[in-house]
Amino acid sequence: MSREYTEITVIGEDDTGLIARVTTLLFERDINIEDLDQAVRDGVFRMTMSVDTSGMTCTEAELREALDELGDDLGVEVQVRFPADRETQTIAVLVTKESHCLEALFEAWADGELGAEISVIIGNHDDLEPLADHYGVDFHDVGDEKGSPDEERLLEVLDDYDTDLIVLARYMRILSPNVVFRYEDRIINIHPSLLPAFPGAEAYRQAREEGVRIGGVTAHYVTTDLDQGPIITQRAFNVPAKADVEEIERRGQPLEAEALLEAVRLHLDNAVHVYHGRTEYRDDVDPEDYQLGLPESFEERQPDRPVDGLGGVVSRSADGE
């Protein structure tokens, strides 16, 4: 979907007539709907639209006001993001206690590699506040003494900082549909396994118990289905025969940071989009500029035969030739 389209998101309690009321308002202002998707989860309704506002018969301010009034009337929240709103992108990083992924993001940001602003760090514990302070970035602790986050406060902070992208840098909590629906295809998580293998908690321990020889990590977009969102990047590593969980984790953590950073770069560069539940390069992207999986040098070590049908010997013998 082109970045020149305006994005409209509607969130609220499910009710009849929501879609018709919103689409009618747009039609009356000569706004063409290019794409529409809607879903309901746990009683929360979400509709996202990409619309062409280039020929609309009202100003941006008038459209915002009309949608705000309609949202108040329907009891839903309506978010509008015009193309110009997305020129300077802001990142909110959600963390718990592990620092390695946050450090990688900070280092890339400090080196000017992101092309976006890390505007806020949000934790469900305050362990990483000193790291945020070191880089001069605001830190907000939204967790209680057990680390359970206050999602209403979380949403307030995300809104206060006009967040474009949420990065879960080893944030050890599941986001509810109330959060995910508001930032669909704008939340990136890093998971310590080669998804879809070993979703959920303690993935490295799961890998050890199953005796895998190749471990890995996955950066993916977050959906309301745990660890099942569209995969963006993956990295793999060997697991020695006698490796314990701690050794597997030591091998995985640097790759977690690398895969997450590459996924963030792909998103910020608008190099990938989600199509039918999977990420694809956009047509104008040079794949050599990015690394989705293993490096190209790995291909040189892969055996290239035997492959079915190459020799033709079996088929000729079967025909009696």
Side-chain angles (χ1 to χ4, degrees):
M1 196 62 61
S2 169
R3 289 174 65 86
E4 296 307 310
Y5 291 139
T6 295
E7 300 172 359
I8 299 175
T9 304
V10 180
I11 303 286
E13 292 186 11
D14 189 25
D15 198 1
T16 58
L18 289 175
I19 297 175
R21 292 285 299 276
V22 176
T23 55
T24 297
L25 184 151
L26 299 176
F27 172 76
E28 291 172 346
R29 289 157 178 79
D30 291 332
I31 297 171
N32 189 49
I33 299 173
E34 299 292 339
D35 186 64
L36 184 152
D37 183 60
Q38 59 91 24
V40 178
R41 178 62 64 91
D42 297 340
V44 180
F45 169 84
R46 183 267 300 158
M47 176 172 65
T48 57
M49 292 180 288
S50 294
V51 303
D52 184 359
T53 53
S54 60
M56 67 180 179
T57 55
C58 64
T59 66
E60 291 184 1
E62 289 170 341
L63 178 60
R64 288 185 191 276
E65 182 179 359
L67 287 170
D68 283 344
E69 291 177 356
L70 179 61
D72 290 341
D73 185 38
L74 296 173
V76 298
E77 177 185 337
V78 183
Q79 300 174 344
V80 185
R81 299 174 74 236
F82 292 98
D85 297 335
R86 308 192 297 275
E87 289 178 357
T88 301
Q89 299 187 76
T90 58
I91 302 172
V93 186
L94 273 58
V95 297
T96 296
K97 295 183 177 182
E98 297 180 19
S99 66
H100 56 287
C101 287
L102 180 59
E103 288 182 48
L105 289 165
F106 271 143
E107 289 172 4
W109 177 51
D111 291 340
E113 297 176 8
L114 292 183
E117 182 80 8
I118 297 180
S119 58
V120 63
I121 308 301
I122 305 172
N124 62 321
H125 292 280
D126 63 2
D127 296 57
L128 299 184
E129 185 172 4
L131 183 57
D133 290 342
H134 175 75
Y135 283 91
V137 177
D138 293 344
F139 184 96
H140 292 267
D141 182 2
V142 299
D144 61 17
E145 64 278 0
K146 295 181 179 179
S148 299
D150 179 345
E151 284 207 339
E152 291 302 320
R153 176 58 183 151
L154 171 61
L155 287 171
E156 288 177 3
V157 175
L158 293 173
D159 185 60
D160 288 344
Y161 286 86
D162 195 21
T163 302
D164 291 301
L165 174 66
I166 300 172
V167 179
L168 308 185
R170 300 298 286 139
Y171 180 66
M172 310 303 288
R173 291 288 174 171
I174 298 172
L175 297 176
S176 76
N178 200 31
V179 177
V180 174
F181 277 171
R182 284 171 166 78
Y183 294 91
E184 185 178 24
D185 295 339
R186 292 192 286 141
I187 307 175
I188 296 176
N189 179 50
I190 185 66
H191 182 76
S193 79
L194 289 173
L195 292 174
F198 311 133
E202 299 196 37
Y204 288 133
R205 183 174 300 279
Q206 293 182 61
R208 174 67 181 87
E209 292 173 351
E210 294 297 329
V212 302
R213 297 301 183 217
I214 302 293
V217 303
T218 302
H220 65 97
Y221 284 115
V222 173
T223 65
T224 53
D225 296 312
L226 179 63
D227 296 331
Q228 296 182 44
I231 291 169
I232 309 172
T233 57
Q234 292 185 307
R235 298 290 186 271
F237 58 91
N238 283 320
V239 178
K242 295 184 179 181
D244 57 16
V245 175
E246 289 71 23
E247 172 61 20
I248 297 174
E249 186 172 354
R250 280 194 296 271
R251 289 172 176 252
Q253 281 191 346
L255 294 179
E256 290 175 24
E258 179 182 303
L260 179 61
L261 186 57
E262 184 74 338
V264 169
R265 193 165 72 94
L266 282 155
H267 178 91
L268 293 174
D269 290 350
N270 196 36
V272 294
H273 67 114
V274 178
Y275 181 73
H276 290 319
R278 48 181 290 147
T279 54
E280 303 285 355
Y281 279 125
R282 295 189 184 275
D283 292 339
D284 58 348
V285 171
D286 184 354
E288 294 185 359
D289 292 338
Y290 304 96
Q291 182 186 335
L292 298 185
L294 293 170
E296 289 186 5
S297 59
F298 182 80
E299 296 293 331
E300 300 173 0
R301 306 182 62 180
Q302 286 284 89
D304 59 3
R305 67 181 313 277
V307 177
D308 287 348
L310 282 186
V313 176
V314 175
S315 61
R316 287 199 301 273
S317 299
D319 292 339
E321 296 180 2

